Amino acid sequence: LNTDKDVLAILEEALKNPKYTATTNQGKAINLYKTIMDTVTRNKQGIAPLKPYLTKINSIKNSNDLQKLLIEMEYEGGLGFIGAGVGTDAKNSNRNVVNIGLGALGLPDRDYYVGTDADSKEKREKYVAHITRMLQFLGEKPKQAKSSAEKILALETQMAQPRLDRVERRDRRKTYNPMSVADLQQLSPSFNWANYLKGIGYTNLDSVIVSQPRYIQAMETILKENKVDDWKAYLKWTLLNKSTGLLSTDIETASWEFYGKTLTGAIKQRPRNERALQTLNGTLGEGLGKLYVEKMFPAEAKAKAEHMIKNVFTAFENRINALPWMAKTTKINAIEKLHKSRVKVGYPDKWKDYSPL
């Protein structure tokens, strides 16, 4: 908590310092912070930043159009239905694999959609009311928004039902399903997987890891049903819902009132500057870190700490060599292991390069 207060104070001071230009890591972090805090501009813009994407969604006429848009939007964080990403192979840490994941849902867990208890039913009703309210920010009339919200809940329920429940998700074997792209194509013939994977930058794949095959089969059903209007409603909602923190304060507040107040019981929203700090840490963390260490941990302190740690390592090595019970070859291996240790003090020796941003 004290560190956050210090960082925010440093940020506010850095805002006035002309040396942090937009070409520096620190300047990029400062500019992002200013953008988040600039509610005046965001309130003037309203939903204008979403309009190019809404136009693309409205132009969808069939499954091929949908798949093209999903490819395009993958570079901007996806737009629901499906997702793919690279990660370490769970059964072979020496290689990376492409994982095929699930589509976005507006409620945080499968149980909200399939639960038959009174609380789950009440949450679904409030969710429909929330979507109805939010879609009106996009210009839909109340009756139209309510109809869209009901379609969205129905589609998301269809996407939620085949997912693994909480107990099944604990079994890592059930989420590790390697298969060739051809086998994936057989699982869902209506989706052009080779084209999708190539379109989002994954070429020459011999296999992928499918987290939940049942979900892929459900996607096949959704595509075959060809309810284009339902797809559009879901896509618009997914776009808006993932963007609420970037738009006007009334949209942001309306989102918090459901996800913060209704679902989690929060009493009040965290201050904007604290939320901005959280975003900075998650996106331009080392730019922010540079500002912090300039003030709180100068290079002299790092050098002093590294010198002290070097002495500790020397003491370790001397103690290993002095052990009467350890064989000579074991001592050599122990010292080799000691010297392979990575020492991290304060901040990295080489900072991330944010210049392409």
Side-chain angles (χ1 to χ4, degrees):
L1 185 60
N2 287 334
T3 302
D4 284 351
K5 287 179 180 177
D6 290 339
V7 174
L8 285 170
I10 290 167
L11 260 174
E12 292 294 337
E13 184 181 333
L15 288 172
K16 306 163 191 169
N17 195 328
K19 78 173 183 178
Y20 299 121
T21 64
T23 59
T24 64
N25 283 0
Q26 301 97 311
K28 291 178 190 298
I30 291 166
N31 283 342
L32 178 56
Y33 180 73
K34 286 164 67 177
T35 301
I36 297 169
M37 298 300 291
D38 183 9
T39 56
V40 174
T41 300
R42 288 200 277 147
N43 287 341
K44 284 180 181 177
Q45 289 178 333
I47 64 156
L50 299 186
K51 286 184 177 178
Y53 304 102
L54 292 170
T55 299
K56 291 175 182 179
I57 292 170
N58 284 327
S59 68
I60 291 173
K61 295 182 177 63
N62 51 48
S63 175
N64 287 336
D65 292 343
L66 172 65
Q67 292 177 45
K68 285 177 185 176
L69 184 59
L70 294 180
I71 290 171
E72 182 181 342
M73 292 301 296
E74 188 68 25
Y75 292 96
E76 300 193 43
L79 201 56
F81 280 122
I82 204 71
V86 175
T88 304
D89 189 335
K91 292 192 176 181
N92 182 0
S93 60
N94 291 319
R95 74 172 195 146
N96 288 330
V97 291
V98 172
N99 296 284
I100 305 298
L102 311 175
L105 296 177
L107 288 171
D109 193 81
R110 173 184 184 272
D111 291 352
Y112 283 97
Y113 293 94
V114 300
T116 56
D117 57 287
D119 183 61
S120 294
K121 291 178 180 177
E122 182 186 7
K123 289 291 194 302
R124 288 196 291 270
E125 289 174 5
K126 289 182 176 179
Y127 180 50
V128 168
H130 172 63
I131 299 174
T132 301
R133 177 187 182 186
M134 296 299 288
L135 290 180
Q136 290 175 67
F137 286 113
L138 299 182
E140 292 192 12
K141 301 295 183 184
K143 189 175 179 180
Q144 180 192 3
K146 177 76 184 304
S147 174
S148 296
E150 289 169 348
K151 288 178 181 178
I152 290 162
L153 177 63
L155 181 55
E156 288 189 356
T157 301
Q158 197 175 355
M159 295 165 66
Q161 284 171 336
R163 297 178 186 226
L164 301 177
D165 61 30
R166 291 181 183 180
V167 175
E168 290 173 316
R169 290 199 301 269
R170 294 191 193 109
D171 186 346
R172 292 299 302 274
R173 294 169 298 180
K174 291 186 176 180
T175 58
Y176 186 86
N177 303 283
M179 61 180 70
S180 67
V181 177
D183 288 339
L184 177 59
Q185 189 63 56
Q186 286 187 347
L187 198 62
S188 177
S190 298
F191 197 89
N192 190 331
W193 288 100
N195 187 58
Y196 171 75
L197 291 166
K198 182 181 178 182
I200 62 175
Y202 303 135
T203 56
N204 301 320
L205 289 176
D206 55 359
S207 65
V208 294
I209 309 296
V210 178
S211 63
Q212 297 190 30
R214 286 201 312 246
Y215 177 80
I216 302 300
Q217 290 172 316
M219 269 293 299
E220 172 66 13
T221 301
I222 289 169
L223 292 174
K224 276 187 174 178
E225 288 176 346
N226 201 38
K227 295 180 179 178
V228 178
D229 287 342
D230 293 12
W231 302 347
K232 290 181 181 181
Y234 166 75
L235 291 168
K236 288 176 187 177
W237 165 235
T238 303
L239 172 68
L240 175 61
N241 200 26
K242 66 181 282 190
S243 307
T244 54
L246 312 173
L247 301 170
S248 59
T249 52
D250 52 354
I251 292 175
E252 187 177 24
T253 301
S255 179
W256 177 81
E257 284 175 352
F258 177 73
Y259 286 106
K261 240 180 186 175
T262 302
L263 287 190
T264 67
I267 297 172
K268 65 177 182 177
Q269 201 170 12
R270 289 178 65 190
R272 184 173 301 279
N273 60 351
E274 291 182 13
R275 286 179 275 138
L277 185 62
Q278 190 175 27
T279 301
L280 279 172
N281 276 322
T283 53
L284 290 168
E286 291 196 9
L288 182 64
K290 268 192 171 183
L291 285 170
Y292 181 78
V293 299
E294 282 175 16
K295 189 84 172 176
M296 308 297 287
F297 195 75
E300 302 79 42
K302 182 179 172 77
K304 185 177 180 181
E306 286 174 337
H307 181 70
M308 179 182 70
I309 292 168
K310 185 179 179 181
N311 288 338
V312 171
F313 272 55
T314 301
F316 265 127
E317 188 171 341
N318 290 338
R319 290 187 67 178
I320 290 169
N321 282 322
L323 291 173
W325 52 267
M326 187 178 283
K328 186 176 180 180
T329 54
T330 307
K331 289 179 181 180
I332 291 171
N333 289 333
I335 291 169
E336 184 182 354
K337 184 177 181 180
L338 177 67
H339 289 310
K340 285 182 178 178
S341 300
R342 292 181 63 194
V343 177
K344 298 181 179 180
V345 178
Y347 54 88
D349 295 324
K350 184 178 180 181
W351 294 93
K352 282 184 179 177
D353 179 17
Y354 293 128
S355 59
L357 295 179

